[in-house]
Amino acid sequence: FIGNSTYLDDHGPPPQKVLPFPSQVVYNRVGKCGSRTVVLLLRILSEKHGFNLVTSDIHNKTRLTKNEQMELIKNISTAEQPYLFTRHVHFLNFSRFGGDQPVYINIIRDPVNRFLSNYFFRRFGDWRGEQNHMIRTPSMRQEERYLDINVCILENYPECSNPRLFYIIPYFCGQHPRCREPGEWALERAKLNVNENFLLVGILEELEDVLLLLERFLPHYFKDVLSIYKNPEHRKLGNLTVTVKKTVPSPEAIQILYQRMRYEYEFYYYVKEQFHLLKRKFGLKSHIRKPRPRPEFFIPSPLETEEPIDDEEEDDEKWLEDIYKR
């Protein structure tokens, strides 16, 4: 029984901290897909559950040079575990640089809705105060700020055409230059990474189910997340960050957007299908009306997604002091 005496003896070495699995999680959040909501929740959860929430001060640099990748991976890998690292950054391959590959999580959203949310948010901010957008985009000229969304799309302004519209896939494809080129190569590589490196990629339109599954898969990070999310105080805060002055483009303009974003939609539908399979596997019913036809054949009603707290600027602190391999 000598082996056990150290645990009984006050002067013996303390027992080693047993880390939960996985103890390294990366949330490389896609912009304007509700990640501000999730980061706010994570701040509460990290205090409640005692994990290390590692955030970044860099918000507009998603593509990195090889040296920047190595540096970031080194910094993340040396964080105290269990950690959850979050930043707007395209997928990083840790094993390529000799690091342990963490578990990835993410959330995406209907691509046209995501684009429109970003378009109007950059111009007019949200209900927290319209002066925010002046700080965010101070160099934007008045004629650009008030540019009609239909004119932007129909007259092929850079902001409303490729490659700017190829936005979601690179977050999953990675840092390879071809990941930024709209096409099959980037799409297939993004799908492969979803299958091999992401524990969960959820759909913003079904955020409560995303949170339920995160709680199921990563309880040491997300236990009680749904009850915190549904707390009236949290919901009230969310209402302040709804983007203002949104307008719906014409059916013709939306059809053009769909054509330009066809790879984004192929990816979105793939992720959605995987997400629904996962929900069924764990007994969650999808409250979905009959499935929608593919984008080429219908005019949707954009902006029907509830706007959760969203990202862009990072002032969260001011607002509030085999499962693992599918």
Side-chain angles (χ1 to χ4, degrees):
F1 298 108
I2 294 169
N4 293 336
S5 63
T6 54
Y7 293 94
L8 304 173
D9 183 352
D10 286 343
H11 304 294
Q16 262 200 319
K17 184 178 176 185
V18 179
L19 290 171
F21 179 79
S23 58
Q24 301 169 83
V25 177
V26 171
Y27 172 32
N28 65 320
R29 51 209 176 102
V30 182
K32 304 309 291 176
C33 288
S35 67
R36 198 177 166 82
T37 298
V38 181
V39 170
L40 190 65
L41 291 167
L42 283 167
R43 291 199 187 284
I44 301 167
L45 291 164
S46 65
E47 288 194 17
K48 190 175 167 74
H49 301 319
F51 62 85
N52 183 15
L53 178 62
V54 185
T55 57
S56 173
D57 294 331
I58 302 165
H59 312 301
N60 298 316
K61 193 169 173 56
T62 53
R63 310 162 186 177
L64 309 177
T65 64
K66 190 174 175 182
N67 281 342
E68 287 168 338
Q69 289 176 58
M70 287 171 71
E71 190 62 27
L72 182 57
I73 285 169
K74 192 175 101 183
N75 289 343
I76 298 170
S77 299
T78 53
E80 187 190 346
Q81 298 181 28
Y83 69 72
L84 190 149
F85 174 79
T86 180
R87 172 177 159 179
H88 295 300
V89 65
H90 295 166
F91 175 80
L92 291 160
N93 189 337
F94 282 59
S95 49
R96 183 183 167 214
F97 298 102
D100 291 336
Q101 190 68 8
V103 157
Y104 273 83
I105 58 173
N106 219 322
I107 298 172
I108 66 171
R109 174 187 194 176
D110 178 279
V112 163
N113 281 352
R114 196 218 70 84
F115 163 73
L116 293 173
S117 181
N118 189 56
Y119 184 89
F120 292 107
F121 184 73
R122 284 184 69 239
R123 284 163 170 76
F124 307 114
D126 52 40
W127 290 114
R128 286 172 295 165
E130 287 196 54
Q131 71 281 6
N132 283 352
H133 70 273
M134 295 298 190
I135 298 163
R136 187 177 301 106
T137 51
S139 59
M140 190 181 278
R141 299 189 312 280
Q142 283 298 88
E143 59 267 33
E144 187 186 350
R145 195 175 299 284
Y146 292 96
L147 175 65
D148 182 274
I149 184 75
N150 291 302
V151 172
C152 185
I153 296 164
L154 297 174
E155 296 188 13
N156 211 14
Y157 279 67
E159 188 177 356
C160 298
S161 56
N162 277 318
R164 297 275 188 89
L165 297 179
F166 193 68
Y167 182 87
I168 297 172
I169 286 174
Y171 274 87
F172 299 87
C173 178
Q175 297 289 338
H176 193 287
R178 286 186 73 183
C179 287
R180 303 194 288 276
E181 296 168 11
E184 290 290 334
W185 189 90
L187 170 66
E188 292 307 317
R189 183 156 165 159
K191 286 181 183 176
L192 188 68
N193 274 334
V194 166
N195 293 335
E196 293 187 352
N197 292 297
F198 283 79
L199 171 62
L200 178 70
V201 183
I203 298 296
L204 182 61
E205 292 83 352
E206 299 168 45
L207 183 58
E208 288 195 8
D209 287 341
V210 178
L211 297 176
L212 258 174
L213 285 176
L214 284 169
E215 187 169 357
R216 180 79 62 94
F217 295 167
L218 299 168
H220 45 293
Y221 293 95
F222 286 97
K223 190 173 187 308
D224 301 323
V225 66
L226 204 55
S227 56
I228 296 166
Y229 174 70
K230 287 179 165 180
N231 181 302
E233 286 304 303
H234 183 274
R235 304 299 284 172
K236 195 164 65 184
L237 188 62
N239 292 337
L240 292 171
T241 56
V242 175
T243 303
V244 299
K245 292 190 193 293
K246 272 189 183 176
T247 56
V248 181
S250 68
E252 183 192 358
I254 288 175
Q255 287 291 18
I256 289 170
L257 276 184
Y258 271 131
Q259 291 306 319
R260 290 176 187 167
M261 300 173 94
R262 63 187 180 278
Y263 294 111
E264 294 273 277
Y265 268 99
E266 200 171 324
F267 182 71
Y268 173 72
Y269 279 109
Y270 176 78
V271 165
K272 194 171 187 175
E273 197 177 318
Q274 298 298 311
F275 181 63
H276 286 167
L277 284 171
L278 206 54
K279 278 171 63 170
R280 280 202 294 280
K281 185 175 169 182
F282 288 92
L284 295 178
K285 288 192 171 59
S286 296
H287 303 295
I288 306 288
R289 293 168 232 110
K290 61 181 185 205
R292 285 173 157 191
R294 292 287 185 177
E296 304 89 70
F297 309 118
F298 79 106
I299 300 294
S301 48
L303 317 179
E304 64 195 16
T305 314
E306 176 197 351
E307 284 288 324
I309 301 173
D310 238 324
D311 37 62
E312 279 309 299
E313 41 147 10
E314 296 295 316
D315 57 357
D316 298 309
E317 283 165 18
K318 290 185 212 143
W319 289 90
L320 254 199
E321 285 299 7
D322 151 3
I323 291 179
Y324 295 96
K325 275 281 181 194
R326 279 188 268 131

